[in-house]
Amino acid sequence: MNVPIHHKIVQLLKRPPYPRSLLVDIHSYCNASCRICPYSQLSKVNPMGFMSWELYTRIIDDYKRLTDRYDFTGVLAYCQMGEPFILKDIAIWVKYAMDKGIRIYFNTNASLLSPSIVDSLAGIGFTGFFNISFHGINRQTYENTMHLDYDATINNIDYLLTKFPPSRIRINAVSFCWEPDEEDKLRSFWQSRNVTVIVDQALSRAGLVKELRKVSKGRIAGCRTERPLYEMVIAFNGDVLLCCHDMAREVVLGNLNLSTIEDVWNGERFVNILREIYNDRDLPSDFICKRCEESDEYWSARRIIKRFIPAHILRVIKKTKKDGEWLAIKIKDL
């Protein structure tokens, strides 16, 4: 079933009958205990485990069929909740997807990105990207936020830079309990290594991060990032989740042990939930998107202004916005 989803207000917004990218947890474990992430508490209540090789290859093969049928370049990211380099043989997993023509990037804290793993990735000709979480350049700030070894991680990244160009590495820093000059120092440190830095504000993960203020919205009109319109999030056991912020697995849309990517993506449950999110009339007050900083409030100035912008101007704005996103840059440059 091919069902485009149209935003009631931004009329040019359409959802293709396939996900442009997959965010896959090949396992659900992380070695960090970041104060801005609910992993520590969720790991005690969520199902935990490693994805089977059989399920992984099934997902990759299924995605390859979609990329061939619809003639697009697939993108695969590891991981949503887990730290990918807990898997010491991850190069084997990466090569399987690379051989299918799928482009890859890692979300990692780099503390386990040892020289041997870096060498194994270089050995298979890895051409993807490393998106590294590094939340502060002051040692005390970093270790207090992430509870990882500062020197070991710096050493890992420095070794990574001897094997891969800085253009394929990005530092993703979240501002949390920073001193006034922390951002300037952080940017200066990484710019001396020619590494791009992105600084974001901490998000509550739909109210799961206890140290951050909870969000409660009334009627909403979609997602500002539009992730559910292009990205499929897959847990280690094959469950498909609404988005990367659904770390508590509140909205499970299907399971890839039982269904294909296309069947879940275009399935009645996924389609109906998206319709409700983008034209909120029936969502319960505690629905995850209403607790998320990245959802768009129905009566927000942003949405109302968009309503009156001509479609041809919106297309230019949308293209400019996407060209500035790192995912778009990766797709273009890989």
Side-chain angles (χ1 to χ4, degrees):
M1 181 173 61
N2 181 356
V3 185
I5 301 295
H6 296 270
H7 193 306
K8 284 283 187 178
I9 305 304
V10 188
Q11 294 164 357
L12 79 155
L13 182 62
K14 295 181 180 179
R15 180 176 183 256
Y18 55 84
R20 285 175 50 210
S21 63
L22 304 181
L23 179 57
V24 180
D25 257 349
I26 45 181
H27 63 79
S28 53
Y29 300 100
C30 186
N31 64 314
S33 299
C34 297
R35 292 169 61 191
I36 54 173
C37 176
Y39 171 82
S40 296
Q41 68 207 58
L42 292 178
S43 63
K44 298 179 177 66
V45 295
N46 275 4
M48 304 290 288
F50 289 85
M51 181 175 285
S52 70
W53 179 254
E54 179 183 6
L55 175 58
Y56 178 75
T57 55
R58 172 190 170 108
I59 291 169
I60 299 302
D61 293 347
D62 187 20
Y63 197 40
K64 169 62 173 172
R65 284 189 287 271
L66 282 179
T67 64
D68 289 344
R69 183 189 312 164
Y70 292 104
D71 192 24
F72 73 101
T73 301
V75 177
L76 171 65
Y78 315 97
C79 289
Q80 180 224 3
M81 188 165 172
E83 164 52 46
F85 297 115
I86 282 177
L87 279 184
K88 304 306 179 187
D89 63 348
I90 195 164
I92 298 172
W93 300 66
V94 172
K95 189 175 187 304
Y96 189 87
M98 284 177 52
D99 288 347
K100 306 291 183 181
I102 297 171
R103 294 168 176 170
I104 297 169
Y105 71 96
F106 292 104
N107 294 317
T108 175
N109 59 48
S111 65
L112 299 177
L113 185 52
S114 63
S116 61
I117 291 178
V118 172
D119 290 344
S120 70
L121 292 172
I124 63 169
F126 179 64
T127 56
F129 285 75
F130 300 86
N131 183 35
I132 299 173
S133 297
F134 201 95
H135 305 315
I137 202 60
N138 175 282
R139 179 191 303 274
Q140 183 177 355
T141 300
Y142 172 87
E143 294 187 345
N144 186 49
T145 302
M146 302 188 71
H147 298 102
L148 295 171
D149 187 304
Y150 178 90
D151 291 324
T153 306
I154 290 287
N155 289 339
N156 285 347
I157 298 172
D158 281 343
Y159 186 80
L160 179 68
L161 284 164
T162 69
K163 299 293 183 176
F164 293 92
S167 60
R168 298 195 179 278
I169 300 166
R170 186 183 80 168
I171 295 297
N172 177 45
V174 172
S175 175
F176 180 76
C177 297
W178 281 6
E179 295 296 327
D181 61 348
E182 184 73 15
E183 181 172 343
D184 290 340
K185 289 180 177 179
L186 179 121
R187 290 186 183 278
S188 176
F189 180 90
W190 292 112
Q191 285 170 1
S192 71
R193 289 161 165 77
N194 296 314
V195 174
T196 298
V197 175
I198 301 295
V199 176
D200 291 314
Q201 296 301 310
L203 300 176
S204 70
R205 299 286 187 168
L208 292 172
V209 179
K210 296 178 180 179
E211 293 191 62
L212 296 175
R213 181 180 65 86
K214 292 184 179 181
V215 172
S216 179
K217 297 180 179 180
R219 187 176 178 184
I220 61 173
C223 176
R224 293 181 186 178
T225 67
E226 297 169 7
R227 286 193 188 95
L229 302 181
Y230 68 81
E231 179 180 74
M232 175 177 278
V233 180
I234 305 168
F236 79 96
N237 64 352
D239 281 348
V240 175
L241 310 179
L242 178 59
C243 88
C244 61
H245 290 310
D246 190 5
M247 296 181 72
R249 305 175 66 168
E250 295 181 41
V251 184
V252 178
L253 302 163
N255 187 285
L256 297 185
N257 282 292
L258 306 172
S259 305
T260 66
I261 292 171
E262 193 172 21
D263 285 344
V264 175
W265 186 256
N266 297 311
E268 184 177 359
R269 176 165 169 75
F270 206 159
V271 168
N272 286 341
I273 286 176
L274 287 177
R275 283 188 176 133
E276 292 173 358
I277 291 171
Y278 277 88
N279 187 32
D280 177 12
R281 294 186 183 278
D282 303 310
L283 287 173
S285 59
D286 63 345
F287 188 76
I288 182 172
C289 298
K290 294 192 175 186
R291 309 193 312 271
C292 179
E293 291 90 339
E294 293 188 333
S295 63
D296 218 358
E297 292 189 271
Y298 189 85
W299 298 110
S300 67
R302 178 178 178 273
R303 186 199 69 84
I304 293 170
I305 291 171
K306 274 189 173 184
R307 182 175 186 178
F308 297 101
I309 298 177
H312 69 281
I313 296 178
L314 275 173
R315 290 190 188 96
V316 173
I317 295 172
K318 185 177 177 66
K319 181 179 185 301
T320 302
K321 178 183 176 184
K322 286 190 178 299
D323 285 348
E325 291 176 354
W326 202 55
L327 175 62
I329 293 171
K330 289 196 295 289
I331 292 173
K332 180 176 66 178
D333 291 346
L334 273 169

